[in-house]
Amino acid sequence: WYKVATPRKEVREGRSFNPDEFAIALEQVVAGTAPEDYRDPAQFFARTCFTRALREHAGMVLRRLSGRTDNTSPVLTLITQFGGGKTHTLTTLYHLAKNGDAVAGHNGVAELVREAGVGSVPKAKVAVFVGNAWDPQPGRETPWIDIARQLAGDKGVEALGPAACTTPPGTESIARVFQAAGAPVLLLFDEVLNFLNRHRGMAESFHAFIQNLTVATTGTTHGATVISLPRSQ
């Protein structure tokens, strides 16, 4: 059988599987500290099975980033039990939007683009918020300041206005951040409930931000927001 289906390298070498290899931390992918199988797009796509749900979600985001509004949604929520593939989906979207056509030749991507009905992989400015990893830092005092900085640097923060340190931005301010980005925008949110549990004092303002972000994302034809939530009663 091993001549018909060649085992992966780690199996051939008799190495034990590390359970940590099967848990993606999106913030580590962004920081470049994740295991290579998740950090490197080629290896990530080589080990990714493009299930129907993954293809559908990725297809909708690719259409939005390409300026298409048919058969898609500006804001998507991923709701599954623990281990249901939410972070894997977000990581897929991150690698696609961050690298654009540079990943077009990797496993499954060309078929994904074909199914989505777009001519190429649209490259976008990507902002990532991971709730269990995020804490206020100088220059990133709130989630919306952090996201604006990721999308457009200092210009993005300026677009929020002077009240951003204490008040969630309105839809017009968020739209100015999108404009300052100068490209399609993709916002990825993971472990949101963890953040709300740890920062109870920011819960109401964060909720208002998400509401306004939803309206602002709906108002642009080249943007998408994806939010993962654990399924619970």
Side-chain angles (χ1 to χ4, degrees):
W1 67 267
Y2 53 84
K3 293 180 180 179
V4 177
T6 305
R8 297 189 62 85
K9 182 179 179 181
E10 59 267 30
V11 179
R12 297 197 305 270
E13 294 177 351
R15 289 191 280 121
S16 299
F17 287 104
N18 182 352
D20 291 343
E21 294 178 2
F22 298 95
I24 309 178
L26 185 56
E27 74 279 5
Q28 294 177 8
V29 175
V30 175
T33 59
E36 193 172 7
D37 283 333
Y38 297 125
R39 186 178 71 246
D40 178 66
Q43 290 191 219
F44 175 79
F45 287 120
R47 300 192 72 168
T48 293
C49 174
F50 283 94
T51 62
R52 183 179 64 183
L54 180 56
R55 293 199 311 272
E56 288 176 353
H57 283 96
M60 285 191 282
V61 171
L62 290 177
R63 282 192 290 275
R64 282 288 304 181
L65 298 181
S66 298
R68 298 261 303 274
T69 57
D70 56 301
N71 192 26
T72 185
S73 174
V75 180
L76 301 174
T77 52
L78 308 174
I79 304 175
T80 72
Q81 304 285 3
F82 176 78
K86 297 184 293 296
T87 306
H88 200 106
T89 300
L90 295 176
T91 304
T92 301
L93 298 174
Y94 175 81
H95 282 311
L96 288 170
K98 194 76 174 175
N99 297 284
D101 268 342
V103 297
H106 295 332
N107 173 60
V109 176
E111 184 179 352
L112 183 67
V113 170
R114 225 172 13 252
E115 285 188 18
V118 295
S120 60
V121 183
K123 196 170 184 179
K125 292 289 186 68
V126 186
V128 174
F129 176 84
V130 182
N132 63 317
W134 192 90
D135 285 304
Q137 300 289 337
R140 302 175 186 272
E141 292 83 0
T142 65
W144 44 90
I145 289 177
D146 189 359
I147 287 169
R149 192 174 296 283
Q150 290 182 59
L151 291 178
D154 290 340
K155 288 184 178 180
V157 178
E158 291 173 11
L160 291 177
C165 284
T166 56
T167 307
T171 56
E172 291 186 1
S173 295
I174 297 172
R176 287 196 295 269
V177 174
F178 290 168
Q179 188 174 10
V185 294
L186 175 62
L187 285 78
L188 304 175
F189 290 80
D190 203 10
E191 300 290 350
V192 169
L193 295 188
N194 182 294
F195 164 77
L196 293 174
N197 286 331
R198 292 190 304 112
H199 296 279
R200 297 294 178 102
M202 299 181 71
E204 287 188 12
S205 59
F206 185 80
H207 186 252
F209 167 59
I210 292 295
Q211 285 184 311
N212 292 343
L213 177 63
T214 298
V215 175
T217 307
T218 304
T220 179
T221 56
H222 288 78
T225 296
V226 186
I227 305 172
S228 81
L229 297 166
R231 184 181 299 279
S232 68
Q233 295 303 318

